Amino acid sequence: MDLLEYQGKQLFAEHGVPVPQGRHATTPKEARAAAEELGFPVVIKAQVQIGGRGKAGGIKLAKDADEAETHAEAIIGMDIRGLTVQEIWVEQASDIATEYYGAVVFDRSARKPLVMLSAEGGMDIEAVPEEKIARLHVDPLVGFLPFHGRRLAFEAAIDADVIRPVGAMLAKLYDLFVAADAMLVEVNPLIVTGDRQVVALDAKVTVDDNALMRQPAVAEMRNPSAEDPQEQMAKERGVTYVKLDGEVGILGNGAGLVMSTLDVVAQAGGRPANFLDVGGGAKAEEIVAALEVLLSDAKVKAVLFNIFGGITRCDEVARGILQALEQIDVQVPIVVRLDGTNDQEGRRILADADASQLHTAKTMLEAADMVVALAREGAAA
Ligand code: GDP
Ligand code: MN
């Protein structure tokens, strides 16, 4: 789960990481009031889960209340690479002397958190040459120690007078990273002000979704409006869902099977629209939930239901599908491939049901050819 800048800064403040004073706003009037409270100049910042807001015009400096209101009006509703700005953050402007980059990321291959520091901050970190980024893996059992901060600071060649406060900030960011079950904590830019204060001017925090159950305060920060509606729906229903760009909806039991179904559909000339792993689920409620998520994507012209019966029995899945079709109105054709435990009986149950939108197939390839043809017909209609 990605946090918005202001939510990240809230965590920063709680962990003693210096951040500028700011207020949240959703209307130009609120922004004006917030700015007057904070004192001028202020910076109006679009709150969207995407970087490069500065370049996109989503960050503006205001020297008085009128300007704050005008800028807020321009930024709210703005489209930044596909995301509509609905919230803004009004912040006391900082006097920037230098921009650095600091981050803690989870390095899966090393199985350790990796702390990074660079004197080349402000810009896109991908554009910074490798050798300009100091890196240090932290042993999670030992933690981040003061000498780690000093080593990174020397290696990154930051200004000598701020080595201590920058090291201290990295230590606090590391503490936050651990405490919040984060996968990423990134500060770009990490600034030094004219009077040599070290401040986090931007915040990007990603929290491990699997840890949200023990991070209730962070889970509360989830912003439903900023998320893809289908993904949000899937999350609420506890199914694994990935949205894609085509017209064939794919549903299967087991991640491996679902992934290979994607390949087979692509091989048959189709484009998957999304895929959903229902796990071992064969119950009608689970199938209803899954179909509702898949079909809420208007692009879906046909659905492929690919089930390999192991512990899950195909006859149960077939009954589940029929019950689901009684509960929801499905307009698009559904191809069901049943293979494995009780597959013959499963196919017989579906055939006997005589539901016009149901088609059955015995093999994955046959099912894929069928669903691709049906999706084409649907798209042409
Ligand atoms: P991003 O573009 O989405 O990464 O947003 P940032 O929060 O990193 O801001 C982008 C740039 O805007 C920064 O690198 C600064 O150069 C500038 N900026 C942001 N806040 C301030 C501020 O308070 N004062 C000044 N002078 N510049 C700012
Ligand atoms: Mn930034």
Side-chain angles (χ1 to χ4, degrees):
M1 169 180 166
D2 295 327
L3 302 188
L4 290 167
E5 173 197 6
Y6 81 93
Q7 296 169 326
K9 282 180 168 169
Q10 194 173 314
L11 291 183
F12 283 11
E14 284 164 20
H15 286 266
V17 177
V19 287
Q21 286 282 327
R23 301 272 185 280
H24 177 261
T26 53
T27 66
K29 284 270 175 272
E30 267 176 39
R32 184 189 188 97
E36 280 172 333
E37 217 181 305
L38 291 163
F40 295 93
V42 291
V43 180
I44 313 279
K45 303 184 81 174
Q47 297 299 293
V48 281
Q49 272 140 348
I50 204 160
R53 294 164 301 163
K55 271 190 218 144
I59 297 177
K60 289 190 159 81
L61 190 78
K63 59 181 184 313
D64 58 38
D66 287 341
E67 238 181 43
E69 196 173 330
T70 322
H71 288 335
E73 217 171 294
I75 292 174
I76 297 168
M78 180 185 272
D79 179 285
I80 301 186
R81 284 184 281 147
L83 295 175
T84 307
V85 180
Q86 280 163 345
E87 305 171 73
I88 50 175
W89 181 239
V90 184
E91 186 174 88
Q92 279 176 355
S94 301
D95 164 28
I96 304 176
T98 315
E99 296 189 324
Y100 296 149
Y101 171 92
V104 186
V105 301
F106 187 70
D107 182 353
R108 285 178 188 280
S109 55
R111 301 179 186 177
K112 282 174 183 164
L114 172 67
V115 184
M116 299 194 277
L117 180 67
S118 175
E120 315 262 314
M123 61 176 112
D124 182 9
I125 192 66
E126 264 82 54
V128 176
E130 283 272 313
E131 67 275 10
K132 296 271 188 182
I133 306 170
R135 294 161 203 268
L136 190 136
H137 283 102
V138 177
D139 182 334
L141 298 179
V142 176
F144 190 88
L145 302 173
F147 83 87
H148 290 134
R150 286 195 296 275
R151 186 183 292 176
L152 281 162
F154 281 118
E155 231 171 88
I158 64 167
D159 292 343
D161 67 310
V162 291
I163 286 176
R164 207 176 259 279
V166 168
M169 184 186 285
L170 292 177
K172 286 171 185 155
L173 293 172
Y174 180 84
D175 289 345
L176 157 67
F177 177 88
V178 174
D181 286 308
M183 301 301 282
L184 168 75
V185 173
E186 187 185 66
V187 184
N188 188 24
L190 186 169
I191 62 158
V192 183
T193 63
D195 54 3
R196 310 308 286 168
Q197 299 297 307
V198 172
V199 178
L201 202 66
D202 192 6
K204 187 169 176 202
V205 177
T206 306
V207 175
D208 184 352
D209 282 325
N210 296 312
L212 288 177
M213 44 87 178
R214 63 178 193 191
Q215 296 289 345
V218 175
E220 281 279 298
M221 291 178 177
R222 183 183 294 286
N223 175 7
S225 64
E227 271 181 62
D228 178 85
Q230 268 105 36
E231 284 183 10
Q232 188 192 328
M233 191 167 165
K235 223 169 261 171
E236 278 160 13
R237 288 156 197 234
V239 283
T240 305
Y241 172 81
V242 175
K243 189 179 165 79
L244 301 163
D245 209 32
E247 47 289 314
V248 179
I250 291 171
L251 212 153
N253 62 333
L257 182 67
V258 173
M259 296 303 272
S260 45
T261 311
L262 283 181
D263 290 343
V264 177
V265 166
Q267 197 187 324
R271 293 192 318 152
N274 49 41
F275 70 85
L276 215 144
D277 173 16
V278 287
K283 292 197 196 75
E285 314 80 274
E286 289 163 7
I287 294 168
V288 168
L291 278 176
E292 279 180 340
V293 173
L294 283 191
L295 297 174
S296 65
D297 181 349
K299 275 186 157 178
V300 173
K301 298 288 179 256
V303 173
L304 172 53
F305 217 124
N306 193 6
I307 299 292
F308 187 81
I311 296 170
T312 305
R313 286 163 33 202
C314 291
D315 57 317
E316 277 179 5
V317 176
R319 283 191 200 94
I321 292 172
L322 294 181
Q323 280 172 33
L325 292 181
E326 278 168 23
Q327 291 174 40
I328 50 171
D329 179 31
V330 179
Q331 301 287 349
V332 303
I334 302 178
V335 176
V336 186
R337 178 257 185 166
L338 294 174
D339 193 5
T341 313
N342 295 0
D343 56 348
Q344 276 188 359
E345 197 187 340
R347 282 194 299 273
R348 189 185 49 75
I349 291 169
L350 293 180
D352 288 353
D354 198 30
S356 61
Q357 69 274 62
L358 275 185
H359 306 259
T360 56
K362 213 175 155 237
T363 70
M364 198 142 110
L365 201 55
E366 193 188 320
D369 284 336
M370 208 183 259
V371 80
V372 171
L374 288 164
R376 283 219 182 98
E377 278 171 34

